[in-house]
Amino acid sequence: MEHFPIVLALLRAAVRDKPATALQQAERLREALRNAGGVDEAKAIDDVIESAKPGSAGKMVPSRVVRSRAVSAGEAMTANTFPPVDKETSAPLAEILTVDRLAELEPPLLNSRLALAVDHLTMQWAGAHELQSAGIKVPRTALFFGAPGTGKTRLALWAAARLGLPVVLARLDGLTSSYLGTTARNIRTLFDFANRYQCLLLLDEFDGIAKLRDDPQELGEVKRVVNSVLQAMDARSPVGLTIAITNHESLLDPAVWRRFDARIEIGLPDASMRQKIIERYVQGFKIKTGAIRVLTWLTDGYSGADIETLCDFIKRHMTLNSKDNPSVMAAVQLFLDLSASNHKNPIREALQRDEAHWFQQALDYHDIKIVQADIGEATNMTQSSVSRVLKRYPERV
Ligand SMILES: Nc1ncnc2c1ncn2[C@@H]1O[C@H](COP(=O)(O)OP(=O)(O)OP(=O)(O)O)[C@@H](O)[C@H]1O
Ligand SMILES: [Mg+2]
């Protein structure tokens, strides 16, 4: 159905605001489509209806877009589809992640610009048929790059879940071999496999292949590997989707870099995203909003994965010591002591110095507003005690 993605987006918005009438119309449309043979479309509408039902709030159902057949050709995978292996060692070259498994994942929280870019990418894939019939090239390759732990892998898996496609996740350890010619052969085998099925090919830690370039002894072999990647990507681009991921984009061969239709940088989360990530990971825990604001300040420079680790620690500490009603900051201090860092970080230094210093730094933070009451909620102190401590700050007038 032409423009179906737009119909779906409209429905999604409508069921959020006015459930009763919108749901009724959504059900009508679903039945009409089903009767007309639009099984995929009817299923996608069903997902939207389900996500609007009471009780499903909080549960993230991937808002499925209807995948155009033009975007991923080939056979459907079954429970009996096994990943390809290295001919000599029988080591698997990839892992297959089924759609059911992917659907359990929550999406990473991204700032609105990034979310829009990713949305655009998946919508293009959903509308691939329209593009193709208009003679427009369908972009099928994307590169995600950026700092470690920022949610790149999670995002790629989420994109596949949205499209209802299983993922063929390349195993770099299985692919690379010290035997001459074997890595190149494995790459060809992997791509041949991916091209045969409807799937999204995910080349995680993609620089693992390009990195070999560092070694001058291996130059001939590296050229061969990079050439195989280039050829394999060119052959794949008319038939299926590929996402490659790297933390070391500068290591990629320029010719490989140019092969990607979309290149998306996933950066460290800003303050408002950090606040949302913290809220997600302390959900269900009685942590006051003021304490969350203080955590947002002190996680400046943290990745999403770092924030998750800190939140897990806080939850563990508060659960194990619940009878003493420990403060959030007591848990944070312990976390910092147990996770020494070799990077210089002014917030960390202030936190490990004395209360007056970190209180003042938190109050001076520009990215979100922190007040004395917030520090009180993070430390279990009254506001007047916070104020007393602050008087000790040497530069305070
Ligand atoms: N933006 C985010 N929102 C929510 N959770 C996040 C975010 N970023 C990271 N996480 C959490 O951190 C975990 C690790 O993220 P992921 O593996 O996707 O990062 P990555 O960018 O691929 O890291 P690496 O470069 O080290 O492979 C995720 O499974 C998720 O739980
Ligand atoms: Mg990753």
Side-chain angles (χ1 to χ4, degrees):
M1 180 179 161
E2 213 186 341
H3 306 310
F4 188 70
I6 304 172
V7 175
L8 263 189
L10 267 175
L11 264 183
R12 238 177 256 130
V15 297
R16 223 179 291 139
D17 300 335
K18 248 185 155 215
T21 26
L23 279 174
Q24 213 174 15
Q25 296 307 323
E27 279 167 5
R28 270 186 67 201
L29 182 59
R30 178 191 59 193
E31 290 318 305
L33 285 167
R34 188 172 287 152
N35 293 339
V39 180
D40 285 349
E41 286 90 350
K43 170 79 185 80
I45 292 188
D46 219 30
D47 288 348
V48 176
I49 295 174
E50 283 304 311
S51 71
K53 287 200 173 146
S56 78
K59 181 169 176 263
M60 304 286 238
V61 180
S63 51
R64 264 251 230 150
V65 293
V66 173
R67 183 178 79 243
S68 156
R69 297 203 193 292
V71 86
S72 180
E75 300 164 38
M77 285 193 176
T78 67
N80 292 326
T81 312
F82 296 102
V85 295
D86 180 298
K87 258 196 199 142
E88 274 126 36
T89 62
S90 299
L93 304 178
E95 187 183 350
I96 296 173
L97 306 176
T98 61
V99 176
D100 286 349
R101 209 171 133 192
L102 296 172
E104 288 165 12
L105 293 174
E106 281 188 310
L109 295 160
L110 304 174
N111 69 37
S112 51
R113 260 185 51 219
L114 211 52
L116 213 64
V118 174
D119 214 42
H120 179 77
L121 192 69
T122 46
M123 289 313 262
Q124 281 190 100
W125 290 344
H129 181 69
E130 267 175 74
L131 294 179
Q132 213 168 40
S133 10
I136 302 168
K137 180 181 177 253
V138 181
R140 290 192 180 82
T141 49
L143 175 72
F144 293 172
F145 64 96
T150 46
K152 299 180 295 296
T153 303
R154 177 63 72 95
L155 182 64
L157 299 178
W158 170 253
R162 266 199 102 186
L163 294 164
L165 276 175
V167 167
V168 172
L169 175 61
R171 298 269 308 253
L172 262 304
D173 50 341
L175 273 178
T176 48
S177 155
S178 51
Y179 293 111
L180 216 60
T182 304
T183 308
R185 189 190 64 209
N186 283 343
I187 289 168
R188 282 193 299 274
T189 311
L190 171 74
F191 274 77
D192 284 348
F193 173 83
N195 294 348
R196 212 177 124 192
Y197 294 98
Q198 290 170 26
C199 65
L200 184 147
L201 174 62
L202 184 54
L203 305 165
D204 210 350
E205 293 166 31
F206 188 51
D207 48 276
I209 304 175
K211 233 185 181 169
L212 290 165
R213 281 190 302 168
D214 294 350
D215 190 344
Q217 306 248 293
E218 302 271 350
L219 220 52
E221 173 68 352
V222 172
K223 263 203 175 133
R224 201 185 345 248
V225 170
V226 172
N227 279 338
S228 314
V229 173
L230 290 175
Q231 280 167 11
M233 284 185 65
D234 287 344
R236 175 159 177 78
S237 88
V239 289
L241 302 179
T242 309
I243 295 182
I245 299 179
T246 180
N247 293 338
H248 306 283
E249 63 279 8
S250 58
L251 286 178
L252 291 191
D253 190 282
V256 176
W257 177 263
R258 272 200 310 276
R259 282 306 190 279
F260 292 98
D261 299 313
R263 297 179 287 261
I264 302 183
E265 181 169 13
I266 319 273
L268 291 173
D270 60 17
S272 85
M273 282 327 294
R274 293 201 307 279
Q275 183 161 350
K276 292 203 173 79
I277 297 173
I278 295 165
E279 281 163 359
R280 175 187 282 182
Y281 290 123
V282 299
Q283 209 179 25
F285 249 74
K286 286 201 201 80
I287 294 189
K288 301 214 171 104
T289 50
I292 290 182
R293 272 196 288 277
V294 171
L295 288 173
T296 304
W297 158 70
L298 70 86
T299 51
D300 193 327
Y302 279 39
S303 68
D306 296 335
I307 294 174
E308 187 181 14
T309 308
L310 172 66
C311 291
D312 284 347
F313 185 91
I314 294 173
K315 289 188 287 189
R316 264 199 311 273
H317 182 78
M318 295 185 72
T319 307
L320 292 175
N321 300 285
S322 60
K323 60 176 190 321
D324 302 329
N325 187 28
S327 71
V328 167
M329 285 313 287
V332 169
Q333 294 287 7
L334 196 57
F335 176 82
L336 294 178
D337 291 340
L338 288 169
S339 53
S341 165
N342 50 4
H343 298 298
K344 253 185 130 41
N345 175 337
I347 294 180
R348 196 182 175 108
E349 280 167 18
L351 281 166
Q352 294 189 314
R353 207 161 151 195
D354 60 55
E355 282 181 330
H357 270 86
W358 82 252
F359 284 14
Q360 190 57 46
Q361 271 212 24
L363 296 175
D364 290 343
Y365 191 52
H366 286 295
D367 293 1
I368 52 160
K369 174 126 196 71
I370 294 178
V371 295
Q372 293 188 6
D374 296 333
I375 297 178
E377 289 189 352
T379 52
N380 291 1
M381 285 165 79
T382 62
Q383 200 177 328
S384 52
S385 314
V386 172
S387 177
R388 249 197 320 278
V389 169
L390 275 164
K391 293 210 179 83
R392 296 205 302 264
Y393 187 67
E395 284 134 56
R396 199 171 165 84
V397 283

